Amino acid sequence: MDENPASQWMSAARRTPQEAKFFWTGGPVEVAPDTWFASLGSGATAFATRDGLVLVDTGTRLFAGEMAERIRARTDLPVHTAIYTHGHIDHAFGLGAFLAEGQAAPHVVAEERMAERFARYERSPRHNAAVNSRQFGGRDLDPTFQSEELRFGFPAYEPTRYYQHSLELDIGGTAFELHSCRGETDDHTWVYCPERRVLCPGDLIIWGVPNAGNPQKAQRYPWDWAKGLRAMAEKDAASLCPGHGGPVVNDPGLVRRILLDTAAFLEEVVDRTLAVLEDGSPPHVDVVRRVELPESEAPWLQPVYDEAEFIVRNVIRYYGGWWSGRPSELKPAPRTEVATELAALSGGAPALLARAVDLAPHNMRLACHLADYALEAAPDDPAIAEGVSALYTDRGSHESSLMATNLYRSAAAAALTRRPSA
């Protein structure tokens, strides 16, 4: 891993033209009169009004300072109101950096379920640090993700006003529409400023396959997400300021196409998954295998962060519960016992690993199953650990989504610690 998440993010931004759209860093871009968008790790939009600035999202504690400097190059107005599109650390934790010296505490507006999210973070800080270390750094419990800058819990500036369903605000003579929409989170808000025709969808648009599958995170809602995108498309937005990636400026046709294309993509994943579930409710892994995944050439629907296969699994989780459907997995034996028995039948853990290496060039998915069993049967064998680590390093290098790439990198690093799983 690079020395910090910022350098990790920037190195990722240099991979491919498609990924560069998601990892776009820049601004401030004037997306409408007296309205600026900047992004570093995530996006923030500033609307100048007679009463002060209205901010939609505020970045992380780590990156907000630089984004605030960029915005402050255009305006020195105090922050009157901040709107959090959702409670993730890269959107709701950086407000302090934007505040003018000596200004009054700003109003902070959010969807009502955000308080529950922050309470969950307070109860599971080490878990959140671990899953984000794997997702963004490719290893477990990297010290960077346990630092105060990336601590999970309640932000320094908590919401002062919660709303349900929708809310209209008039701030300094400028109107803002807030609409709730379950999507990546259950506390999501999208914001529209009709006078300036600026749409801020938060992470409902990220210049990539929607983050509706994320293997480590809480339930996502692609069916409601699609409805929200279609509602946004009915607005007359000319500019779009996404949760991640660069803005679309003064191009209403492109804004509408991005929204509708993304809605259709999510609907296809949901409909195709449900069709397979309805066909006898097969075991979950068989559902995933049978769903024909939609593909798109559009730059806003490339699997640079999440991917369609993971979205299928989130649909299954919502409709199908936690059991995989395999009888042996209802009350399974410890994995180490299964691995030890399979290794004995195969001639030992080295034989399992050797077979995994042989399979890898033409069936990497199957090879990784055997590699896992080899490691779990012989967790203290350094040769097995090194072989498994090399296999997962190779697999991660061929993945397109950040999610899969870094989880396989994490598996490669974890293999070298030789920790058997239960």
Side-chain angles (χ1 to χ4, degrees):
M1 179 182 176
D2 291 323
E3 64 274 14
N4 59 56
S7 56
Q8 172 77 3
W9 190 270
M10 294 304 293
S11 65
R14 293 192 289 268
R15 293 182 196 165
T16 68
Q18 290 82 9
E19 289 169 324
K21 290 183 178 296
F22 172 81
F23 291 104
W24 183 88
T25 294
V29 175
E30 189 169 27
V31 296
D34 298 319
T35 308
W36 303 277
F37 175 81
S39 182
L40 178 57
S42 59
T45 310
F47 298 81
T49 77
R50 291 198 305 268
D51 290 343
L53 283 183
V54 174
L55 288 177
V56 179
D57 284 338
T58 62
T60 66
R61 294 186 184 99
L62 190 64
F63 297 147
E66 184 173 339
M67 282 205 295
E69 287 181 7
R70 296 176 185 182
I71 295 296
R72 288 306 182 189
R74 299 297 181 92
T75 176
D76 59 2
L77 286 172
V79 178
H80 180 278
T81 297
I83 302 168
Y84 297 157
T85 62
H86 58 298
H88 281 167
I89 192 171
D90 55 335
H91 294 266
F93 284 67
L95 176 55
F98 290 86
L99 303 185
E101 184 176 355
Q103 75 155 84
H107 303 282
V108 181
V109 184
E111 204 274 342
E112 65 170 354
R113 284 167 286 203
M114 193 174 292
E116 181 182 346
R117 169 175 301 282
F118 294 146
R120 292 202 307 270
Y121 289 164
E122 284 283 324
R123 295 194 66 182
S124 57
R126 283 182 59 79
H127 166 70
N128 282 312
V131 299
N132 282 286
S133 294
R134 291 192 289 263
Q135 182 169 317
F136 297 110
R139 64 178 66 179
D140 285 344
L141 289 176
D142 188 280
T144 303
F145 291 88
Q146 300 180 75
S147 69
E148 180 61 25
E149 285 184 317
L150 292 177
R151 187 187 70 81
F152 283 79
F154 287 85
Y157 292 87
E158 297 179 37
T160 58
R161 180 177 183 180
Y162 290 102
Y163 79 96
Q164 294 179 319
H165 308 307
S166 63
L167 177 67
E168 293 186 0
L169 299 174
D170 186 310
I171 302 172
T174 302
F176 297 89
E177 300 176 9
L178 282 63
H179 301 270
S180 67
C181 174
R182 294 196 310 178
E184 179 178 296
T185 68
D186 60 0
D187 62 351
H188 214 291
T189 293
W190 57 272
V191 182
Y192 183 55
C193 179
E195 173 187 318
R196 304 184 194 183
R197 299 177 67 193
V198 174
L199 176 67
C200 301
D203 277 359
L204 300 175
I205 291 293
I206 62 169
W207 282 101
V209 166
N211 186 15
N214 199 315
Q216 303 183 99
K217 300 296 181 69
Q219 179 70 53
R220 275 95 201 276
Y221 307 90
W223 46 91
D224 289 340
W225 194 328
K227 292 177 183 177
L229 292 167
R230 292 194 180 281
M232 288 181 234
E234 293 303 309
K235 302 297 180 180
D236 190 29
S239 297
L240 182 148
C241 299
H244 296 273
V248 175
V249 181
N250 197 27
D251 192 339
L254 180 57
V255 172
R256 181 174 172 82
R257 182 183 170 193
I258 289 171
L259 295 169
L260 294 179
D261 279 3
T262 307
F265 183 93
L266 290 169
E267 288 163 349
E268 285 187 40
V269 173
V270 173
D271 290 347
R272 294 177 187 184
T273 303
L274 289 176
V276 177
L277 277 173
E278 283 291 277
D279 187 20
S281 185
H284 292 178
V285 69
D286 293 342
V287 176
V288 176
R289 188 179 300 114
R290 287 173 53 187
V291 172
E292 182 181 352
L293 301 175
E295 296 181 356
S296 173
E297 295 183 359
W300 49 87
L301 284 174
Q302 298 308 302
V304 296
Y305 186 60
D306 206 336
E307 53 187 278
E309 179 175 333
F310 296 157
I311 301 176
V312 170
R313 292 186 179 276
N314 234 332
V315 177
I316 296 170
R317 174 167 61 171
Y318 184 85
Y319 285 93
W322 59 264
W323 178 42
S324 70
R326 296 289 191 215
S328 63
E329 293 173 357
L330 183 61
K331 291 186 175 183
R335 281 276 304 193
T336 51
E337 290 184 10
V338 177
T340 299
E341 187 66 21
L342 287 175
L345 291 171
S346 305
L352 278 176
L353 180 59
R355 179 59 177 158
V357 172
D358 288 342
L359 284 170
H362 53 90
N363 193 339
M364 181 62 88
R365 292 193 182 215
L366 180 56
C368 287
H369 284 289
L370 299 185
D372 284 352
Y373 282 124
L375 184 64
E376 290 160 17
D380 297 318
D381 185 328
I384 297 291
E386 291 170 7
V388 172
S389 180
L391 197 69
Y392 276 115
T393 297
D394 182 46
R395 185 165 189 179
S397 70
H398 291 91
E399 295 291 334
S400 62
S401 71
L402 179 146
M403 218 70 77
T405 297
N406 276 350
L407 289 181
Y408 288 133
R409 288 180 65 211
S410 175
L416 298 177
T417 68
R418 299 186 294 280
R419 289 185 312 220
S421 59

